[in-house]
């Protein structure tokens, strides 16, 4: 549980180090005037430095206090499965297109997280993706078409 | 006053009425869905309002905001699932009234006091907004720097139990908003040569992720199935309930509107304060938590009064006081309207129509919600396995529609995971969103002050006034959380 604080602090330090390194890069850019670069990089450096300081204070103050009990957190796998499906949907949407991608993601989520049988799930998902595709088309939102060039 | 009445009459045109009606309907419809709070609702529906004209867009968004607030309290009262933080306080007594077979009077009281607080709030906006805007016309970089620092300090202190955590999250937000091209200098920051990162993280996909997607991940994790619907029965409170509820609502409005003018004073904080106040002044404090009508009326009125007051600093100073206001600000900037002192002079017709629409939206909500409360209760019982996938698809399509960018969709998903993990681990999310909006203002002011010379700060008393307010916010937030902790211990 205490390890959670270390992970959080490591992530925060990584972000602040990225900001500090990037500020040094900006400071050395020849395309900008010296004052401009100093202002832009200085602000970034200030934020990165402040974040390092606050993270160290956080680690010293709360580092030994137990954090959230992730080990006994119920349903963690369910949340990660849902996230995995969602990420796959986001990454494959340009190739599969909205209709096919949405139908597949709805089927997957309903199959895993509901107790309905396959036939109603497929029917509901098909209806959902056709109906929503029509609605987005009416709202002039041009979504990736992929294999099915509709609507 | 004339401008206010003109604004109301303009808001009553068929087109604007339709926007207000649709906003109230959609906001309540999504707000009643368990797990979806006001911010999530506004974030999810925001992209679809960008297709409307500027006035229509803001009217719809404000109506969605109020509708979602009302929807959140409906599920809190009926099924003990608060859609948002302020409704947690409403659920304490509202759900107890449902268990006693009196959900109708609880819902009616919530609607009536919300309406009254909203109407009073809208009227006060009309009086206070222009005065504050006139005062803000004298603001220069030093004052805006002070205002930005005060707002960030206040939100960091008040949105979570730890000021340090709030400050860290705010800094993370301020660093993340640096990603991409800086238009002032034409230099890129934190993009590491990545073409997508050069565009930066757009606020809407980030907000949909940390508020919409993360909530759905939480629902998947909890795996809660169909919620039990409650029978509504009669809506009419009895005479005693009406008297006690209205009095509590009036006191809560009087406390919460002035507090809501301050950055960081989110409706969740004022709801808690009003509830505590009612409990302390009651002759029978033990009835709270067991179905007291004051326990429903006070947080609901406080919630609405603070929500209205939150609009004053947004419209007059261009400073959002919470995540929902940050989205309204984003909406305004899409159309090149910069909230601040000039909004009341250069875009007076727009501003007064929007203020008038706040008034009209509150009336529509009252007329819409009481007769339809049975329908909302049925919608609240939609099974989670159907609700969550549908909302997720809407979230992703919404984030895509802003810039037609698949990168934004991925950003939404990743920020969804971050938001879910952060809220589980007890990190407040509001400071990040506020920092996202206020960060550029603070940077711009700081650069201008650096160019003019730091001695400028010594000559500007308003800057020091804001610094004093920031320190007061730190002190006040400590007191507030000590009080809240004591109350929780007492309750346990």
């Amino acid at each position: 549980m205490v390890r959670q604080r270390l992970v959080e602090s490591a992530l925060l330090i990584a972000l602040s180090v990225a900001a500090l390194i990037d500020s040094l890069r900006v400071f050395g850019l020849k395309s900008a005037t010296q004052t401009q670069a100093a202002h832009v990089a200085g602000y970034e450096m200030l934020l990165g430095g402040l974040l390092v300081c606050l993270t160290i204070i956080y680690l010293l103050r709360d580092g030994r206090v137990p954090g959230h009990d992730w080990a006994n957190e119920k349903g963690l796998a369910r949340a990660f499965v849902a996230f995995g499906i969602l990420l796959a949907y986001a990454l494959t949407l340009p190739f599969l297109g909205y209709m096919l991608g949405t139908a597949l993601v709805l089927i997957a989520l309903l199959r895993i997280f509901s107790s309905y049988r396959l036939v109603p799930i497929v029917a509901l998902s098909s209806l959902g993706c056709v109906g929503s595709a029509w609605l987005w088309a009416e709202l002039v939102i041009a979504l990736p078409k992929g294999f099915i060039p509709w609507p | 006053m004339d401008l206010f009445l003109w604004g109301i009459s303009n808001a009553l045109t068929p087109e604007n009425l339709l926007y207000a009606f649709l906003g109230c309907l959609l906001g309540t419809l999504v707000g009643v869905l368990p797990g979806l709070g006001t911010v999530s609702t506004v974030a999810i529906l925001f992209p679809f309002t960008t297709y409307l004209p500027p006035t229509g867009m803001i009217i719809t968004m404000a109506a969605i905001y109020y509708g979602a607030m009302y929807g959140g309290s409906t599920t809190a009262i009926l099924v003990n699932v608060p859609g948002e933080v302020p409704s947690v306080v409403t659920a304490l007594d509202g759900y107890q009234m449902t268990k006693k077979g009196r959900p109708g009077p609880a819902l009616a009281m919530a609607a009536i006091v919300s309406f009254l607080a909203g109407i009073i709030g809208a009227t006060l906006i009309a009086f206070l907004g222009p005065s504050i805007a006139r005062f803000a016309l004298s603001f220069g970089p030093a004052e805006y720097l002070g205002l930005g620092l005060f707002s960030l300090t206040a939100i960091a202190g008040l949105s979570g139990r730890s000021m340090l955590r709030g400050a860290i999250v705010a800094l993370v937000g301020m660093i993340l908003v640096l990603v991409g091209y800086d238009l002032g200098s034409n230099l890129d920051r934190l993009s590491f040569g990545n073409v997508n990162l050069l565009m930066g993280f757009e606020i809407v996909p980030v907000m949909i992720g940390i508020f919409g997607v993360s909530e759905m991940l939480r629902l998947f994790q909890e795996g809660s199935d169909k919620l039990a619907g409650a029978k509504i029965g009669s809506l009419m409170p009895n005479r005693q309930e009406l008297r006690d509820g209205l009095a509590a609502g009036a006191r809560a409005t009087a406390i919460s509107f002035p507090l809501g003018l301050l950055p960081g004073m989110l409706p969740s904080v004022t709801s808690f304060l009003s509830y505590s106040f009612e409990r302390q002044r009651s002759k029978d404090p033990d009835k709270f938590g067991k179905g007291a009508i004051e326990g429903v009326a006070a947080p609901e009125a406080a919630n609405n009064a603070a929500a209205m007051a939150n609009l004053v600093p947004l419209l007059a100073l261009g400073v959002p006081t919470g995540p929902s206001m940050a989205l309204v600000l984003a909406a305004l900037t899409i159309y090149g309207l910069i909230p601040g002192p000039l909004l009341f002079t250069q875009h007076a017709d727009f501003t007064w129509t929007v203020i008038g629409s706040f008034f009209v939206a509150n009336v529509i909500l009252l007329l819409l919600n009481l007769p339809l409360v049975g329908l909302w209760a049925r919608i609240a019982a939609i099974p989670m396995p159907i609700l969550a996938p549908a909302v997720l698809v809407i979230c992703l399509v919404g984030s895509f529609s802003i810039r037609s960018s698949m990168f934004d969709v991925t950003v939404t998903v990743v920020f969804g995971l971050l938001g879910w993990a952060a809220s589980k681990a007890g990190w407040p999310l509001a400071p990040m969103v506020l920092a996202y909006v206020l960060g550029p203002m603070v940077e711009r002011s700081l650069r201008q002050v650096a160019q003019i010379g730091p001695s400028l700060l010594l000559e500007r008393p308003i800057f020091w006034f804001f610094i004093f307010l920031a320190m007061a916010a730190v002190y006040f937030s400590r007191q507030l959380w000590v009080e809240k902790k004591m109350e929780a211990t007492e309750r346990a």
Side-chain angles (χ1 to χ4, degrees):
Chain A
M1 282 188 281
V2 175
R3 207 174 56 189
Q4 181 203 319
R5 307 284 187 207
L6 295 173
V7 174
E8 287 168 351
S9 304
L11 288 172
L12 291 168
I13 294 284
L15 180 66
S16 39
V17 167
L20 289 171
I21 292 173
D22 192 63
S23 67
L24 292 175
R25 177 192 65 84
V26 175
F27 197 75
L29 281 177
K30 287 180 179 141
S31 58
T33 65
Q34 197 62 37
T35 324
Q36 219 174 25
H39 284 169
V40 174
Y43 181 71
E44 195 178 3
M45 201 178 281
L46 176 73
L47 295 182
L50 273 174
L51 188 57
V52 171
C53 295
L54 291 187
T55 307
I56 291 169
I57 295 171
Y58 170 68
L59 201 56
L60 291 175
R61 207 186 71 172
D62 295 349
R64 288 175 192 276
V65 182
H68 183 71
D69 190 2
W70 287 103
N72 291 320
E73 177 82 22
K74 284 181 184 165
L76 216 53
R78 295 167 64 93
F80 279 113
V81 167
F83 170 72
I85 293 172
L86 207 57
L87 190 63
Y89 177 53
L91 295 175
T92 57
L93 200 60
F95 317 108
L96 294 177
Y98 178 77
M99 289 282 282
L100 190 58
T102 306
L104 288 176
V105 80
L106 289 178
I107 290 169
L109 288 171
L110 284 167
R111 187 73 185 147
I112 295 169
F113 294 104
S114 78
S115 51
Y116 302 124
R117 281 178 294 170
L118 190 62
V119 175
I121 285 176
V122 172
L124 199 65
S125 304
S126 309
L127 200 69
C129 75
V130 171
S132 60
W134 172 81
L135 181 67
W136 309 139
E138 288 297 304
L139 287 170
V140 207
I141 299 173
L143 289 158
K145 287 191 166 58
F147 296 114
I148 304 170
W150 185 85
Chain B
M1 193 65 193
D2 289 347
L3 283 167
F4 182 42
L5 292 175
W6 177 83
I8 292 176
S9 69
N10 217 16
L12 286 171
T13 59
E15 194 186 356
N16 289 339
L17 262 181
L18 181 70
Y19 293 136
F21 175 79
L22 284 177
C24 288
L25 192 71
L26 273 175
T28 315
L29 193 71
V30 182
V32 293
L33 299 175
L36 279 174
T38 316
V39 185
S40 317
T41 306
V42 175
I44 292 166
L45 295 175
F46 169 74
F48 307 107
T49 61
T50 55
Y51 296 90
L52 303 174
T55 315
M57 181 190 190
I58 303 300
I59 289 174
T60 311
M61 276 194 69
I64 286 172
Y65 181 49
Y66 306 137
M69 278 204 297
Y70 184 82
S73 57
T74 303
T75 48
I77 291 168
L78 290 179
V79 287
N80 203 21
V81 179
E84 51 177 344
V85 184
S87 301
V88 172
V89 192
T90 309
L92 292 175
D93 282 274
Y95 186 60
Q96 291 302 320
M97 285 185 74
T98 299
K99 276 170 68 176
K100 286 179 180 172
R102 296 187 58 74
L107 287 165
M109 184 52 68
I112 293 166
V113 293
S114 297
F115 165 74
L116 291 173
I119 292 292
I120 294 168
T123 313
L124 287 172
I125 291 176
F127 284 104
L128 286 177
S131 314
I132 294 176
R134 266 195 300 277
F135 172 64
L137 277 173
S138 62
F139 280 19
E143 285 78 7
Y144 276 110
L145 178 64
L147 183 60
L149 292 176
F150 160 55
S151 305
L152 285 171
T153 314
I155 193 83
L158 291 166
S159 59
R161 285 172 189 277
S162 159
M163 176 92 191
L164 179 63
R165 282 176 169 235
I168 289 175
V169 173
L171 274 172
V172 170
M174 288 172 91
I175 291 177
L176 288 178
V177 81
L178 296 182
V179 176
Y181 258 115
D182 171 56
L183 292 175
S185 61
N186 225 15
L187 295 171
D188 74 288
R189 284 181 291 193
L190 291 164
S191 62
F192 305 105
N194 184 304
V195 180
N196 287 318
L197 288 176
L198 277 176
M199 295 195 301
F201 299 126
E202 176 74 27
I203 185 171
V204 180
V206 170
M207 282 201 61
I208 293 178
I210 60 176
F211 291 107
V213 173
S214 71
E215 279 301 302
M216 292 305 107
L217 289 179
R218 188 181 61 77
L219 283 184
F220 276 123
Q221 185 198 356
E222 288 171 1
S224 55
D225 218 346
K226 193 172 179 174
L227 295 158
K231 282 195 173 173
I232 309 296
S234 166
L235 283 169
M236 206 51 209
N238 61 39
R239 192 174 290 182
Q240 184 66 35
E241 283 176 334
L242 200 61
R243 200 166 43 223
D244 292 346
L246 287 177
R251 285 188 292 270
T253 305
I255 294 171
S256 304
F257 189 87
L259 288 176
L261 295 171
L262 301 172
M265 272 295 171
L266 300 173
S268 52
V269 182
T270 54
S271 292
F272 160 75
L273 284 176
S274 300
Y275 185 83
S276 296
F277 177 75
E278 283 303 317
R279 193 162 171 254
Q280 277 170 9
R281 72 173 298 282
S282 173
K283 286 175 187 160
D284 181 15
D286 288 342
K287 71 177 177 180
F288 282 81
K290 293 173 187 161
I293 195 84
E294 297 97 317
V296 176
E300 281 303 303
N303 187 4
N304 277 269
M308 279 290 170
N310 284 174
L311 287 157
V312 177
L314 178 81
L315 293 175
L317 302 173
V319 173
T321 47
S324 303
M325 291 301 116
L327 269 176
V328 176
L329 181 73
L332 287 166
T333 46
I334 281 179
Y335 285 102
L337 296 164
I338 310 296
L342 297 177
L343 204 61
F344 280 88
T345 49
Q346 289 183 354
H347 303 283
D349 50 343
F350 165 83
T351 311
W352 287 105
T353 305
V354 170
I355 292 173
S357 78
F358 299 155
F359 202 89
V360 174
N362 275 291
V363 178
I364 292 175
L365 264 182
L366 187 73
L367 297 176
L368 186 75
N369 283 323
L370 281 181
L372 292 181
V373 73
L375 175 70
W376 304 136
R378 274 196 288 277
I379 289 170
I382 288 179
M384 184 283 291
I386 294 178
L387 167 75
V391 174
L392 280 176
V393 171
I394 294 171
C395 284
L396 297 197
V397 171
S399 65
F400 175 84
S401 68
I402 293 291
R403 295 193 291 195
S404 296
S405 158
M406 284 313 298
F407 174 68
D408 285 347
V409 178
T410 314
V411 165
T412 302
V413 176
V414 173
F415 272 89
L417 184 73
L418 287 176
W420 168 79
S423 61
K424 281 272 159 203
W427 290 86
L429 296 170
M432 187 168 126
V433 180
L434 264 286
Y436 220 83
V437 176
L438 292 171
M441 183 179 101
V442 170
E443 184 182 7
R444 195 170 48 245
S445 315
L446 198 62
R447 276 198 220 169
Q448 287 169 343
V449 168
Q451 272 168 354
I452 299 166
S455 61
L456 171 79
L457 297 178
L458 296 171
E459 299 158 14
R460 312 297 287 197
I462 297 173
F463 168 78
W464 294 106
F465 174 67
F466 282 127
I467 298 299
F468 167 75
L469 283 181
M471 292 192 302
V474 173
Y475 172 77
F476 180 70
S477 66
R478 286 184 73 91
Q479 293 294 105
L480 180 73
W481 294 117
V482 166
E483 193 184 315
K484 207 170 180 179
K485 206 174 176 180
M486 275 168 62
E487 182 152 347
T489 316
E490 209 177 285
R491 197 175 283 280

